[in-house]
């Protein structure tokens, strides 16, 4: 028996990385999976973009867990597109219980390199995309009589990710969004929480990402050590974040809402 038997989950940004880990983990606990990913060129990022083949691989891994998958290429900035995918999935699987707003982008830039375009792209994807996700899903949770919504924020939403004014702004916004939705949706037995990972080993660190971070660090070395952990582990595996998502998705956390949970080895306190 799984902790999410007879449940249905919607995950954004699940072609790879943490989103894929969430989908596979929830599927392993018994949930059917609805999901979207842009699976195409990401605006302005220095790392490699996900592909339709990545999305197919997630589908295969979810089905390997014995779950059903309704996955589509869709941009979280497109509310109507999201609604269509979610509504189709709910039609197939009979309802919706869990929502994980995970899709996001991250562009290392010093404060004076941030452009109107990169600022807007980051806010549109990370903040408007999360609002679109909850908005496309919430009425299905209300109809179900309850549910769990999880917004994937970051260490940058609790402390600061230096050289990312836009990213840090976007991830702090998700803390407010978590509290605001938790307050109103609580009356429908819907819980809303955020997860704040520190560094995670995903393709977000691929391509020119590490080189770009080193370049920005060189502009002000004093800030470079800000993400240090208390533990001797510095980077999480995506599955370690998915463990926390599975807990928040399950009834084991049924009295936890409006909460922000870090998975960062203590980095926010360093
Ligand atoms: N990797 C880290 O160190 C880290 C740390 C803290 C928080 N996060 C956050 O965790 C989440 C997942 O990141 P990840 O590390 O798995 O990165 P990733 O780049 O490997 O995965 C993100 C996925 O989101 C998708 N995506 C991006 N923009 C989209 C859009 N507009 N519409 C639909 N899909 C879109 C991408 O195609 C990609 O598959 C993000 O919100 C990120 O900000 C990452």
């Amino acid at each position: 028996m799984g902790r999410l038997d007879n449940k249905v989950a919607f995950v954004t940004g699940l072609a790879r990385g943490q989103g894929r880990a969430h989908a596979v983990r929830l599927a392993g606990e018994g949930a059917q999976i609805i999901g979207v990913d842009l699976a195409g060129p990401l605006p302005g990022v220095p790392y490699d973009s996900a592909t339709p083949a990545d999305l197919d691989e997630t589908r295969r891994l979810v089905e390997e867990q014995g779950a059903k998958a309704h996955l589509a290429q869709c941009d979280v900035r497109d509310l109507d597109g999201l609604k269509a995918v979610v509504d189709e999935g709910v039609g197939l699987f009979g309802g919706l219980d869990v929502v994980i707003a995970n899709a996001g982008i991250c562009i290392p830039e010093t404060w004076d390199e941030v452009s109107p375009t990169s600022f807007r792209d980051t806010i549109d994807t990370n903040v408007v995309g999360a609002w679109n996700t909850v908005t496309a899903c919430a009425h299905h949770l209300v109809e179900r009589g309850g549910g769990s919504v999880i917004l994937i924020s970051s260490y940058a939403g609790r402390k600061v990710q230096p050289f990312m004014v836009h990213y840090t702004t976007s991830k702090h916004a998700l803390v407010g969004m978590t509290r605001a939705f938790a307050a109103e949706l609580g009356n429908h037995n819907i819980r809303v929480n955020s997860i704040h990972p520190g560094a995670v080993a995903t393709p977000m660190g691929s391509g020119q990402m590490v080189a770009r971070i080193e370049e920005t660090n060189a502009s002000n070395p004093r800030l470079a050590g800000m993400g240090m952990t208390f533990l001797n582990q510095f980077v999480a595996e995506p599955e370690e974040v998915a463990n926390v998502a599975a807990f928040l998705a399950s009834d084991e956390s049924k009295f936890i809402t409006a909460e922000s949970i870090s998975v960062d080895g203590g980095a926010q306190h360093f």
Side-chain angles (χ1 to χ4, degrees):
M1 232 181 74
R3 292 143 99 196
L4 299 173
D5 283 342
N6 304 317
K7 304 248 190 208
V8 180
F10 176 60
V11 184
T12 68
L14 84 177
R16 65 182 193 184
Q18 293 175 64
R20 175 186 284 172
H22 296 318
V24 172
R25 181 62 207 274
L26 299 192
E29 294 286 354
Q32 318 296 352
I33 305 297
I34 308 169
V36 296
D37 199 293
L38 186 64
L42 297 171
V45 306
Y47 50 90
D48 303 330
S49 294
T51 65
D54 293 325
L55 192 57
D56 286 342
E57 176 62 3
T58 297
R59 183 181 291 106
R60 190 188 71 73
L61 292 167
V62 165
E63 289 174 351
E64 197 175 69
Q65 297 294 319
K68 292 187 182 127
H70 176 65
L71 311 188
Q73 244 181 303
C74 179
D75 190 328
V76 293
R77 293 168 291 181
D78 171 9
L79 177 57
D80 290 340
L82 279 184
K83 280 182 175 165
V85 177
V86 171
D87 290 353
E88 280 163 20
V90 167
L92 286 171
F93 302 146
L96 188 64
D97 305 278
V98 175
V99 178
I100 306 186
N102 165 79
I105 59 168
C106 180
I107 307 172
E109 292 175 320
T110 58
W111 68 272
D112 50 352
E113 289 172 338
V114 172
S115 69
T117 301
S118 65
F119 192 85
R120 196 172 296 117
D121 285 342
T122 303
I123 300 299
D124 280 353
T125 304
N126 297 4
V127 182
V128 180
W131 180 82
N132 285 345
T133 301
V134 180
T135 298
C137 292
H139 68 102
H140 291 296
L141 301 181
V142 171
E143 275 168 32
R144 197 77 145 176
S148 174
V149 177
I150 300 160
L151 305 186
I152 304 301
S153 176
S154 169
Y155 157 88
R158 305 214 71 169
K159 196 177 173 185
V160 172
Q161 189 84 39
F163 316 116
M164 292 186 204
V165 167
H166 34 25
Y167 187 75
T168 295
T169 302
S170 74
K171 294 302 189 179
H172 272 72
L174 295 186
V175 175
M177 196 184 296
T178 296
R179 292 186 185 132
F181 272 126
E184 289 194 54
L185 295 178
N187 200 27
H188 299 280
N189 286 322
I190 298 168
R191 301 181 293 109
V192 186
N193 295 288
S194 58
I195 296 180
H196 299 255
V200 187
T202 71
M204 201 175 250
S206 66
Q208 295 304 305
M209 186 64 160
V210 173
R212 254 325 266 155
I213 288 174
E214 281 169 4
E215 274 170 26
T216 53
N217 281 348
S219 75
N220 187 346
R222 189 166 44 175
L223 302 181
M226 274 186 75
M228 189 51 65
T229 57
F230 288 155
L231 299 174
N232 292 321
Q233 176 184 343
F234 306 108
V235 179
E237 291 303 320
E239 292 72 20
E240 292 171 327
V241 185
N243 287 341
V244 179
F247 167 70
L248 287 176
S250 78
D251 291 342
E252 289 170 16
S253 57
K254 70 189 273 292
F255 204 44
I256 299 178
T257 194
E259 197 51 77
S260 303
I261 299 182
S262 288
V263 186
D264 69 354
Q268 67 172 301
H269 301 288
F270 197 91

